[in-house]
Amino acid sequence: MIDRPTQNPLTPLGPTALAPFAEDPEQGLAKIFGFSSFRPGQRQVVEHLVDGRDALVVMPTGSGKSLCYQLAGALTQGVTLVVSPLIALMKDQVDGLRSTGLPATAIHSAMPRAEQRRRLEELYVGDYKIVYVAPERFQSRAFCDALEDVEIGLLAIDEAHCISQWGHDFRPAYRRLAQVRQRFGDPQTVALTATATEQVRRDIGEQLGIGADDEIVGALERPNLYFDVYFAGSKEDKLRPIKALAERYPGESIIVYGATRKQIASVTRELNDANIDAAGYHGGMPADERRQTHQRWMNDEIPVLVATNAFGMGVDKPDVRAVIHYNIPGSIEAYYQEAGRAGRDGNPAHCLLLFNRSDLRVHHWFAENAFPLQMQVIRIWLHLCSLGPGAHDYTPTSLARAARGPGQKLPPRVAQVCLRHLARAGHLRYGGGQVEVLHEVGPLELNIDFSRFGDRRLNAKAQLGQMIDYTRAQRCYQATLLDHFDSTASFGARCGHCANCDANQ
Ligand code: ADP
Ligand code: MG
């Protein structure tokens, strides 16, 4: 709990921070942010918010979505509370805001408790106009208690596709934001994302109670990007186009996305063997090393970064000249978001997808097994309950063998996925080679929504299917991608410079 400051009748809470910082959007844009003009779409969003309406904003990466809620927040009374998925994202934004003179801060789990507490107290007394938090922050009692008495002028939910399980970065804590909104008196809310299909958009809107009238969908086209698909006959065959792009853009920034850590290591090595300066990046690296690698790439010390999709959200390097996918991603959404990291400076850049049919195996495996069949979960559960109370040693293989019925399939990796679902639902805990049932319940009482498993499995397959269709497109690649988002391009049916447009001249 924080100590609530006793109110002094002569100094009302938060006299400066809570008042508007500018009179109108134009003045605020120039005075606070020092920009001379709005980028496409920004004015519409800011005016919509200043009118007091909610908004669901879909605008491309790099289009300046942050400014929309920052400026709208600065123009209204109260604190703007920004929900952001990554601490690194918060830090960049807060540093940027500090230089504008808007009092901003972030409160997150990576800072010492005393510091969290200090900032919370400062928020409480009105020292901040904009505060960034992760969605998990609302699970903290102290935070919610303090927030009860804070005037929230605007709730901004950044990277809002994390709300939707149909999106590609689903985060359970995002899903609870609808309740959070209610709890804090239904403040004006803006949700922002770069990538949302009709389905994800509707899901976000429904979750948060933002109607179709309040959707603002900006143009998603990226006229400076050159899209291409290369059908590789073999692994060696995939290195050729990577080397060609590295030679075309010598010493300039390139991202190569790979699927697995093993792949990251081997591609990095092969590029280095070919005298191309490349470094690997994946979620399993120690945080320090990851940060260092990221930094060296940002500083142009290493041009080529070979990364898993752990390298992503918030990567804001304007001069990336190529984004190469070593494997086919699982959805068009994920592809357009990742490829869209190229050419943010508006100069020509390449988006190349390398395709080999055997790459589909890992996706099919995932679609089949990330959401196991109800029967498989129940078999595992019944087997574990039969072991009796206490912790039991297990390996995925022993578990699968013991739980599998005669003539049935239950691969060890699936057994492990079943454990994860059971643990998430609070029925057991596992770790260190041991598993323990917490409360024995009947199979029909399991707190798992199996009906959703089927949907999500089908959804994953459908999304991959669309991605495969993309590789086979005969017409303009960019127009094909934009169709997926129901977005029409100003260039019409042909961007005029992708590999297909080139071929169909
Ligand atoms: P998004 O979240 O849409 O991907 P950001 O909000 O991170 O994009 O903005 C990308 C960059 O554009 C930032 O460096 C920001 O300072 C810059 N920017 C935003 N709006 C403007 C503007 N009106 N004029 C010039 N630069 C802008
Ligand atoms: Mg953003």
Side-chain angles (χ1 to χ4, degrees):
M1 288 296 297
I2 67 161
D3 305 318
R4 299 211 167 164
T6 32
Q7 286 194 25
N8 174 344
L10 295 177
T11 47
L13 286 182
T16 42
L18 296 182
F21 270 65
E23 280 163 22
D24 61 61
E26 244 76 33
Q27 191 211 23
L29 182 73
K31 193 178 101 179
I32 305 172
F33 298 93
F35 293 141
S36 50
S37 59
F38 283 107
R39 287 202 176 150
Q42 285 180 329
R43 179 202 300 275
Q44 189 194 351
V45 176
V46 174
E47 286 178 351
H48 191 92
L49 292 173
V50 169
D51 275 351
R53 303 185 57 171
D54 291 337
L56 170 50
V57 177
V58 184
M59 276 170 30
T61 304
S63 59
K65 288 186 289 299
S66 321
L67 179 111
C68 298
Y69 61 77
Q70 291 166 349
L71 177 54
L75 290 167
T76 37
Q77 176 78 21
V79 173
T80 294
L81 191 63
V82 185
V83 179
S84 170
L86 292 180
I87 292 170
L89 284 185
M90 297 179 202
K91 202 179 155 330
D92 288 353
Q93 300 273 339
V94 170
D95 290 349
L97 283 170
R98 286 259 170 78
S99 63
T100 68
L102 269 186
T105 195
I107 305 178
H108 56 69
S109 55
M111 56 179 63
R113 290 216 168 239
E115 182 64 21
Q116 295 179 26
R117 203 176 135 106
R118 190 175 65 81
R119 293 190 190 188
L120 193 50
E121 281 166 12
E122 288 168 346
L123 162 64
Y124 187 81
V125 299
D127 283 350
Y128 296 119
K129 187 72 181 158
I130 301 195
V131 176
Y132 283 77
V133 296
E136 288 80 8
R137 180 87 344 214
F138 296 100
Q139 286 155 29
S140 149
R141 262 285 295 284
F143 180 72
C144 290
D145 284 348
L147 217 54
E148 291 279 356
D149 297 321
V150 169
E151 180 186 358
I152 302 174
L154 181 66
L155 175 66
I157 301 177
D158 208 357
E159 309 290 350
H161 55 277
C162 297
I163 286 182
S164 174
Q165 57 177 342
W166 312 116
H168 50 82
D169 282 312
F170 175 57
R171 276 266 285 267
Y174 257 83
R175 197 123 195 124
R176 290 190 282 272
L177 290 175
Q179 288 146 267
V180 167
R181 180 182 181 185
Q182 275 176 0
R183 157 149 194 197
F184 294 105
D186 213 13
Q188 186 187 2
T189 299
V190 55
L192 310 101
T193 174
T195 161
T197 56
E198 187 84 44
Q199 188 185 31
V200 173
R201 217 146 69 206
R202 225 175 304 126
D203 199 11
I204 299 173
E206 272 167 23
Q207 286 289 313
L208 295 173
I210 301 177
D213 287 356
D214 289 324
E215 280 184 14
I216 300 175
V217 182
L220 292 174
E221 67 191 57
R222 299 287 305 277
N224 59 315
L225 298 187
Y226 182 101
F227 285 90
D228 194 3
V229 178
Y230 178 82
F231 291 86
S234 66
K235 198 178 85 179
E236 294 68 47
D237 201 19
K238 283 186 173 181
L239 276 174
R240 221 152 29 90
I242 303 180
K243 287 183 200 159
L245 278 175
E247 273 160 30
R248 180 179 173 140
Y249 299 112
E252 299 200 67
S253 296
I254 293 178
I255 306 174
V256 181
Y257 277 113
T260 62
R261 292 170 191 180
K262 223 159 105 186
Q263 224 166 46
I264 302 302
S266 78
V267 174
T268 308
R269 200 172 39 240
E270 283 173 272
L271 289 177
N272 285 334
D273 287 349
N275 276 327
I276 295 167
D277 207 357
Y281 182 106
H282 59 74
M285 275 158 60
D288 260 5
E289 200 182 325
R290 224 163 52 198
R291 218 172 4 250
Q292 250 179 39
T293 308
H294 184 172
Q295 205 49 52
R296 292 181 59 206
W297 181 77
M298 288 300 288
N299 298 344
D300 297 322
E301 290 161 31
I302 316 166
V304 182
L305 198 70
V306 187
T308 59
N309 59 8
F311 186 73
M313 259 194 288
V315 175
D316 191 12
K317 193 172 196 309
D319 53 358
V320 177
R321 295 275 65 88
V323 172
I324 303 163
H325 280 75
Y326 195 80
N327 291 104
I328 187 167
S331 70
I332 290 189
E333 271 187 279
Y335 182 59
Y336 203 59
Q337 173 125 349
E338 286 162 8
R341 296 191 177 116
R344 290 211 187 141
D345 54 8
N347 295 325
H350 258 81
C351 305
L352 174 64
L353 172 63
L354 305 175
F355 185 69
N356 179 292
R357 281 213 71 79
S358 65
D359 298 338
L360 296 176
R361 270 204 305 257
V362 57
H363 285 289
H364 284 310
W365 188 90
F366 181 81
E368 279 305 324
N369 297 314
F371 304 104
L373 298 174
Q374 183 166 5
M375 264 326 289
Q376 293 172 323
V377 177
I378 289 177
R379 283 197 170 279
I380 298 271
W381 178 244
L382 291 176
H383 166 70
L384 291 171
C385 289
S386 76
L387 297 176
H392 301 275
D393 292 337
Y394 85 99
T395 64
T397 313
S398 70
L399 184 63
R401 200 174 301 135
R404 175 161 48 209
Q408 276 169 338
K409 269 214 246 167
L410 181 55
R413 278 189 291 185
V414 176
Q416 187 71 27
V417 177
C418 293
L419 276 194
R420 200 172 65 224
H421 285 291
L422 286 162
R424 259 197 217 149
H427 295 299
L428 55 77
R429 59 169 167 242
Y430 69 98
Q434 292 208 311
V435 55
E436 179 178 5
V437 169
L438 296 174
H439 305 285
E440 213 174 302
V441 295
L444 295 178
E445 291 163 278
L446 288 173
N447 185 23
I448 298 175
D449 185 356
F450 290 106
S451 65
R452 287 241 291 265
F453 278 26
D455 288 353
R456 292 184 66 175
R457 190 163 35 227
L458 287 177
N459 187 54
K461 280 189 187 170
Q463 289 192 325
L464 179 62
Q466 289 165 339
M467 194 59 219
I468 297 170
D469 287 348
Y470 167 75
T471 67
R472 298 193 186 120
Q474 299 290 314
R475 61 190 191 96
C476 174
Y477 280 126
Q478 187 161 168
T480 306
L481 292 166
L482 290 171
D483 272 358
H484 178 79
F485 301 106
D486 307 304
S487 172
T488 23
S490 60
F491 51 71
R494 287 168 55 89
C495 73
H497 57 66
C498 68
N500 275 349
C501 284
D502 280 354
N504 300 332
Q505 294 234 335

